[in-house]
Amino acid sequence: MMTHTNIENPEISPILHRISGCPAAIIFWILILCLLPNPVPADTPTLKPDNIQPGQTAASSAVLDEAALKAGIAHRLRTAREDRDDRFQHFSSAHVHIEKKIPVHISDTLTVFAVKLRLMPPVSDASPEFITLVVDDTGTLQIGGIQDLATGSNLVQDVVDQMQAVDISDLPSDFGKLIYTGPGPHTLIVVSDPFCPHCRKGWEFIKLNLDQIHTLRLAHFPLSPAAETAGLVMADAYHRKSMVFEIIDFTYTVLDPSQDPLEILAQYMDEFPELTQNWGITPEHALTYLTDRFLTQIKADQQTIQTLGIHSTPVFFVNQTFIKGFNARKMEAAMP
């Protein structure tokens, strides 16, 4: 026989017995059950309507201190340039303009800002400059790449690339040199350093897809004195309108990227002996000839590219699509 032990409160028990036999009992127990806490398994994730993944852009309660950011940029630029040009002693926050800012969610306690700035030097003969930074909300700390520890992915890179994108309509009409016309439907404009490994990979891709290209323009943006020497040689080829594609192809596929300008010129002279007719018979003569005629143009082209906000290579404009860095998948998608 089973023995039932009554553990009910003796004061409450008579009340329960009186209402258990009527419909009111049902209502009573429903109310009691509704008031009880609903158990949730420990491993059930808590979801928020505005749940945002790290690295995504979204509205944020964080507010960027724009005044502090402008003051810091002004001080940094003034300190860096006033020794070279005393007119920059007057560079102030008023010369720093925030073109665009995007908050980037990193964690529940950290939001950073990708900011595109336009710098207006207090110099009449200087063009505006554009820079893109990632900063904290105080506007006093510049932040580099923020990586997800598990995947190694840069949580701010996509936003920075978005900020640095240049609209093709902003390019000067004569931007870059026309080096190829073909049967394809696509228009390409490339900003490139001949000694940049990714630029060289981009050139390989272009050569493999020449049948897809209608026009190809190349803007050389040498990032080192050695690459500048190669730029002088290509500027000479444009000027003479002779062996342009051949010299560019040699530059991007064969030329050894030495740091010695004379060694670089010697390689060109060995490959294209006819160049000595204008350059002279020695690399020293060639360097003098090319520098006197084309260095000013090279510097002007560099300034134009920097004014657009481009500070690294390669950059591709494929039809209306801006692609920073060489990415074969993105290039193929832009050239269906």
Side-chain angles (χ1 to χ4, degrees):
M1 176 182 293
M2 295 182 62
T3 303
H4 175 72
T5 303
N6 188 352
I7 59 173
E8 294 177 343
N9 187 317
E11 297 179 359
I12 298 178
S13 181
I15 299 174
L16 295 180
H17 284 298
R18 282 198 299 271
I19 66 174
S20 62
C22 67
I26 299 174
I27 299 174
F28 174 82
W29 286 113
I30 290 175
L31 291 174
I32 292 297
L33 291 173
C34 289
L35 293 174
L36 291 176
N38 184 27
V40 178
D43 59 350
T44 300
T46 301
L47 301 179
K48 300 178 181 179
D50 57 348
N51 191 25
I52 305 169
Q53 296 301 314
Q56 290 185 337
T57 60
S60 171
S61 59
V63 177
L64 174 64
D65 189 334
E66 296 185 6
L69 173 62
K70 291 180 179 181
I73 293 295
H75 179 270
R76 184 171 173 179
L77 194 62
R78 185 170 58 247
T79 303
R81 298 192 182 181
E82 63 183 355
D83 290 341
R84 290 177 290 165
D85 190 334
D86 58 10
R87 292 175 294 181
F88 276 88
Q89 293 176 358
H90 305 291
F91 192 88
S92 68
S93 298
H95 299 100
V96 181
H97 302 272
I98 297 177
E99 292 279 298
K100 191 175 183 180
K101 61 179 179 180
I102 300 178
V104 185
H105 171 82
I106 302 299
S107 70
D108 290 341
T109 58
L110 177 61
T111 296
V112 298
F113 289 84
V115 186
K116 184 175 183 178
L117 302 168
R118 175 165 50 92
L119 310 179
M120 299 295 296
V123 181
S124 59
D125 57 351
S127 301
E129 298 180 30
F130 294 88
I131 60 173
T132 301
L133 303 173
V134 177
V135 298
D136 72 335
D137 58 355
T138 71
T140 61
L141 297 178
Q142 180 180 349
I143 300 171
I146 301 177
Q147 292 186 320
D148 183 290
L149 190 59
T151 65
S153 60
N154 190 328
L155 298 178
V156 297
Q157 190 60 55
D158 287 345
V159 181
V160 171
D161 289 346
Q162 176 185 340
M163 298 286 279
Q164 292 179 336
V166 177
D167 193 314
I168 193 170
S169 63
D170 293 334
L171 301 182
S173 58
D174 60 347
F175 187 77
K177 302 295 185 183
L178 180 64
I179 65 170
Y180 175 81
T181 57
H186 303 294
T187 298
L188 266 71
I189 303 175
V190 184
V191 180
S192 179
D193 177 329
F195 289 173
C196 157
H198 296 290
C199 298
R200 292 191 162 200
K201 290 181 180 179
W203 179 253
E204 292 176 8
F205 177 91
I206 289 171
K207 287 205 302 178
L208 290 173
N209 291 275
L210 285 176
D211 61 336
Q212 298 294 315
I213 297 173
H214 176 57
T215 59
L216 171 62
R217 302 183 72 90
L218 196 56
H220 291 287
F221 186 34
L223 300 175
S224 69
E228 199 170 80
T229 302
L232 293 172
V233 174
M234 288 181 280
D236 176 61
Y238 298 141
H239 177 73
R240 292 184 295 102
K241 298 180 181 179
S242 174
M243 301 185 297
V244 173
F245 195 89
E246 292 83 355
I247 287 177
I248 291 173
D249 187 45
F250 174 80
T251 301
Y252 279 86
T253 59
V254 178
L255 183 67
D256 178 22
S258 167
Q259 295 303 306
D260 182 358
L262 298 179
E263 169 59 27
I264 291 171
L265 293 174
Q267 293 181 62
Y268 282 109
M269 296 169 78
D270 288 343
E271 183 69 19
F272 306 101
E274 57 269 44
L275 294 176
T276 60
Q277 296 176 10
N278 292 318
W279 293 6
I281 60 174
T282 68
E284 289 81 2
H285 289 132
L287 184 60
T288 300
Y289 174 89
L290 294 170
T291 300
D292 289 347
R293 286 163 176 77
F294 303 111
L295 183 59
T296 300
Q297 176 187 328
I298 294 290
K299 296 294 187 183
D301 291 344
Q302 288 175 315
Q303 182 62 47
T304 297
I305 292 170
Q306 290 175 331
T307 298
L308 291 167
I310 298 173
H311 300 282
S312 61
T313 59
V315 167
F316 301 89
F317 296 88
V318 185
N319 302 318
Q320 300 296 316
T321 301
F322 175 89
I323 300 175
K324 181 183 176 184
F326 174 66
N327 184 309
R329 179 180 55 80
K330 290 183 179 180
M331 295 285 288
E332 290 169 353
M335 298 171 59

